[in-house]
Amino acid sequence: MKRITMKDIPTDERPYEKCLKEGAQGLSDAELLSIIIRTGTREENSLILAQKILALNYPKKGILGLLHLSMQELMQIKGIGRVKGAQLLCIGELSRRIWKKTARLDTAAFHNPLDIVNYFVEDMRHREQELVYIMLLNTKGVLIKDVMISQGTVNASVVSPREIFIEAVKYHAVSVVLVHNHPSGDPSPSREDINLTKRVKEAGELLGIRLLDHIIIGDNSYISLKERGIL
């Protein structure tokens, strides 16, 4: 079978030319991806290779799948080596950072759970491991810094109040918010989540640093332990 090269595609349908004519917003996911990976293989052009990547459908469909694939999984695709694999991983990381930065600029102070969820959701909802962050806030609820204090397995993370308040004291935080994800997608708090919340609250009261909330992020869902009356 004859290999279809980019030169075989009508000029106005080639991703680069289409981007220049219509803008990046006019491209499909596969066309955007083909521009980033640039070249295909001897058998397939970059557009076909991009379509194959998006067709993996595991564990998420299409472009969302890029947020879940590891370097090893990407390199199992013929035509994806370390360089292209790194480029694809960077797409996901860039999208997370852009979203997080935008959410921070759009929120002057973090006073309600939804603002906190909007800040973290794109960074955490597609993660394969459980991550635990603390938000360090000043007297006005403005974010001083967010710190990842634990990265665990799919099932659990080990966190101690000591780690949390070392960071809080270091940055002169007046209050803190605990945030973590459930890779299962279900944000319902476990017994361990509830116990951790109570321990952190008690330790904070001794130090004069208030725990404002503990938020658990799932897939398109979240739970605020403060709203649930647990905190």
Side-chain angles (χ1 to χ4, degrees), residues 67-91:
L67 297 175
H68 294 265
L69 294 170
S70 66
M71 175 68 85
Q72 290 73 24
E73 290 167 330
L74 287 167
M75 288 178 64
Q76 290 177 8
I77 304 169
K78 186 177 180 181
I80 301 297
R82 289 189 179 277
V83 173
K84 283 189 173 64
Q87 290 171 333
L88 293 169
L89 292 177
C90 286
I91 294 172

Side-chain angles (χ1 to χ4, degrees), residues 111-129:
H111 294 301
N112 64 73
L114 191 56
D115 287 338
I116 295 166
V117 171
N118 286 337
Y119 180 69
F120 279 102
V121 65
E122 289 306 312
D123 190 17
M124 299 182 78
R125 64 188 285 244
H126 301 296
R127 299 285 190 171
E128 299 299 316
Q129 290 186 313

Side-chain angles (χ1 to χ4, degrees), residues 99-111:
W99 178 275
K100 205 168 183 180
K101 186 68 174 179
T102 301
R104 182 168 183 173
L105 292 173
D106 289 345
T107 307
F110 291 87
H111 294 301

Side-chain angles (χ1 to χ4, degrees), residues 24-37:
Q25 69 275 9
L27 302 183
S28 67
D29 290 346
E31 289 169 336
L32 284 168
L33 200 55
S34 73
I35 288 178
I36 291 168
I37 61 178

Side-chain angles (χ1 to χ4, degrees), residues 86-214:
Q87 290 171 333
L88 293 169
L89 292 177
C90 286
I91 294 172
E93 186 57 31
L94 275 172
S95 68
R96 291 187 186 100
R97 294 188 188 191
I98 290 169
W99 178 275
K100 205 168 183 180
K101 186 68 174 179
T102 301
R104 182 168 183 173
L105 292 173
D106 289 345
T107 307
F110 291 87
H111 294 301
N112 64 73
L114 191 56
D115 287 338
I116 295 166
V117 171
N118 286 337
Y119 180 69
F120 279 102
V121 65
E122 289 306 312
D123 190 17
M124 299 182 78
R125 64 188 285 244
H126 301 296
R127 299 285 190 171
E128 299 299 316
Q129 290 186 313
E130 187 170 300
L131 307 179
V132 181
Y133 277 84
I134 51 170
M135 299 181 77
L136 308 176
L137 307 175
N138 68 15
T139 54
K140 296 182 178 179
V142 175
L143 181 65
I144 300 169
K145 187 179 179 66
D146 65 81
V147 182
M148 185 175 73
I149 58 171
S150 178
Q151 180 172 340
T153 65
V154 169
N155 298 314
S157 272
V158 179
V159 181
S160 74
R162 179 176 180 274
E163 296 173 81
I164 292 169
F165 290 106
I166 284 175
E167 294 294 333
V169 171
K170 178 181 177 181
Y171 290 99
H172 307 288
V174 171
S175 58
V176 299
V177 177
L178 266 175
V179 184
H180 83 276
N181 64 313
H182 279 180
S184 66
D186 179 3
S188 301
S190 66
R191 182 179 299 175
E192 290 78 8
D193 295 334
I194 294 171
N195 289 339
L196 173 64
T197 304
K198 292 178 178 178
R199 288 165 55 214
V200 173
K201 179 184 178 183
E202 291 169 0
E205 287 172 348
L206 290 173
L207 293 169
I209 301 174
R210 185 183 173 197
L211 175 63
L212 296 181
D213 206 342
H214 182 179

